[in-house]
């Protein structure tokens, strides 16, 4: 991720990640794919790609004010309690309570992957910084679909 100068090592389930890469300490996260721990979304920009890839049921939580979510299906899942609204419906997501709310969520769901926004803490636990909201073109926005697809072996769909 050039936005925060971080790399993520993805390796196929049933295999071992390269020992030299693991020991190098060069990677922010080392993840087995397909990812099985669920997702915590932090931005509405992330939702369309996740839904287009058929990964809606992987969303376990959302941080932020749900009034900005335009997906009827995700709103229904929130209403039914299938998705946790981690931080309530606050508009000021960058406040200190957000970090502690995410930490509490991760304590209950330690394998969840946090898809953080471009200004979230890149060093936070289980966090991949997603800078899709910083893209200036439609092509740039759609390129993020391939990123999400790689987490679930769905590259053929991207």
């Amino acid at each position: 991720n050039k936005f925060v100068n971080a790399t993520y090592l993805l390796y196929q389930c049933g295999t071992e990640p390269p020992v030299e890469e693991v020991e190098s300490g060069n990677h922010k996260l080392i993840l087995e794919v397909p990812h099985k721990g669920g997702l915590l979304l932090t931005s509405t920009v992330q939702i369309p790609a996740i839904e287009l890839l058929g990964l809606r049921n992987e969303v376990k939580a959302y941080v932020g004010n749900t009034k900005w979510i335009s997906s009827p299906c995700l709103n229904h899942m929130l209403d039914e309690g299938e998705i946790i609204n981690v931080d309530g419906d606050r508009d000021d997501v960058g406040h200190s309570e957000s970090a502690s709310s995410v930490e509490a969520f991760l304590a209950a769901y330690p394998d969840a992957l946090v898809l953080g926004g471009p200004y979230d803490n890149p060093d936070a636990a289980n966090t991949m910084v997603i800078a899709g909201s910083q893209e200036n073109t439609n092509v740039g926005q759609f390129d993020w679909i391939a990123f999400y697809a790689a987490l679930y072996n769905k590259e053929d769909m991207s």
Side-chain angles (χ1 to χ4, degrees):
N1 183 324
K2 292 181 180 180
F3 195 81
V4 292
N5 195 30
T7 61
Y8 311 110
L9 176 63
L10 307 180
Y11 68 97
Q12 187 61 44
C13 70
T15 67
E16 295 294 322
V19 174
E20 63 278 1
E21 287 296 320
V22 172
E23 292 176 352
S24 74
N26 292 333
H27 306 287
K28 164 69 173 89
L29 288 175
I30 299 171
L31 297 170
E32 183 179 73
V33 294
H35 176 64
K36 299 213 185 298
L39 299 171
L40 183 151
L41 305 182
T42 62
S43 172
T44 56
V45 174
Q46 300 161 349
I47 296 170
I50 296 298
E51 289 190 320
L52 284 170
L53 291 168
L55 298 170
R56 184 181 301 122
N57 289 328
E58 292 297 315
V59 179
K60 304 302 179 204
Y62 180 78
V63 176
N65 194 319
T66 58
K67 73 180 179 184
W68 302 115
I69 295 177
S70 61
S71 165
C73 295
L74 248 58
N75 280 319
H76 176 76
M77 292 171 76
L78 280 156
D79 291 343
E80 295 295 313
E82 297 172 41
I83 296 175
I84 299 166
N85 184 354
V86 170
D87 205 36
D89 280 333
R90 296 178 65 137
D91 283 322
D92 57 337
V93 176
H95 58 81
S96 60
E97 289 84 11
S98 286
S100 60
S101 298
V102 170
E103 288 171 12
F105 171 80
L106 288 174
Y109 300 90
D111 294 328
L113 181 60
V114 178
L115 299 180
Y119 299 105
D120 287 336
N121 179 0
D123 297 321
N126 296 21
T127 299
M128 290 181 124
V129 172
I130 308 298
S133 63
Q134 303 303 300
E135 298 292 347
N136 294 323
T137 66
N138 289 336
V139 171
Q141 286 282 334
F142 284 109
D143 279 347
W144 282 95
I145 294 173
F147 178 84
Y148 299 119
L151 296 173
Y152 290 93
N153 287 338
K154 293 186 173 268
E155 294 90 344
D156 61 326
M157 293 180 67
S158 68

